[in-house]
């Protein structure tokens, strides 16, 4: 099993948390995993991209045109980072309106439920529901339970489940 995943967003959107969840899910499943992060501006609001490689890889960076899946927490990231995806790569975008790939207003859903900080987990749940990733909901929930701070556990699980529904 080999899968390369690009996670793109803006600082503060939870790109690094999603990266950790997917890496821990791979470990939970007994798979090899490599990750790499690139931060744009060194403050909240800068561009952030993360690479997750599940399987027997030797380098953590994904080459242009090689990722099987992309999670785009900000629609603008699709324009900037789409080049990492294979032509038939699966795209999941947090956007209010449809467009390229599978689109869900994850930020709007999270706000409606009073938890705007979990838009990343809503999009992750959506990607898992669409069978766009190597892992299933049970594994992801196990990881969320293990790595979430106690104060945010229920909110994080609720966000993930919103995306599953």
């Amino acid at each position: 099993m080999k899968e390369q995943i690009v996670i793109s967003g803006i600082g503060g959107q939870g790109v690094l948390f999603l990266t950790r969840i997917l890496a821990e899910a791979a470990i939970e499943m007994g798979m090899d995993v490599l990750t790499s992060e690139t931060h744009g501006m060194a403050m909240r609001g800068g561009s952030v991209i993360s690479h997750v490689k599940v399987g027997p890889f030797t380098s953590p960076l994904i080459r242009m045109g090689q990722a099987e899946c992309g999670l785009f927490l900000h629609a603008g990231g699709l324009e900037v980072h789409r080049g990492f995806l294979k032509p038939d790569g699966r795209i999941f975008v947090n956007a209010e309106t449809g467009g390229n790939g599978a689109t869900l207003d994850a930020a709007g859903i999270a706000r409606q439920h009073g938890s705007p900080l979990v838009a990343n987990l809503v999009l992750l749940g959506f990607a898992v529901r669409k069978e766009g990733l190597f892992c299933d909901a049970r594994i992801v929930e196990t990881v969320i339970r293990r790595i979430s701070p106690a104060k945010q556990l229920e909110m994080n699980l609720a966000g993930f489940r919103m995306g599953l529904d």
Side-chain angles (χ1 to χ4, degrees), residues 83-100:
F84 284 102
L85 292 168
K86 291 180 174 183
D88 62 344
R90 297 174 305 281
I91 298 172
F92 299 94
V93 184
N94 172 23
E96 290 181 24
T97 58
N100 295 315

Side-chain angles (χ1 to χ4, degrees), residues 4-15:
Q4 299 180 78
I5 305 161
V6 172
I7 305 169
S8 172
I10 293 175
Q13 286 190 307
V15 171

Side-chain angles (χ1 to χ4, degrees), residues 9-20:
I10 293 175
Q13 286 190 307
V15 171
L16 304 182
F17 190 59
L18 286 189
T19 301
R20 183 167 176 213

Side-chain angles (χ1 to χ4, degrees), residues 56-122:
F57 292 98
T58 57
S59 167
L61 296 178
I62 297 172
R63 290 188 200 156
M64 298 302 274
Q66 296 301 306
E68 284 85 13
C69 181
L71 298 173
F72 295 89
L73 300 174
H74 185 268
L78 185 58
E79 183 179 321
V80 176
H81 297 125
R82 183 187 188 130
F84 284 102
L85 292 168
K86 291 180 174 183
D88 62 344
R90 297 174 305 281
I91 298 172
F92 299 94
V93 184
N94 172 23
E96 290 181 24
T97 58
N100 295 315
T103 304
L104 177 72
D105 185 8
I109 292 168
R111 271 193 310 276
Q112 284 176 344
H113 287 85
S115 304
L117 297 176
V118 297
N120 60 336
L121 292 165
V122 174

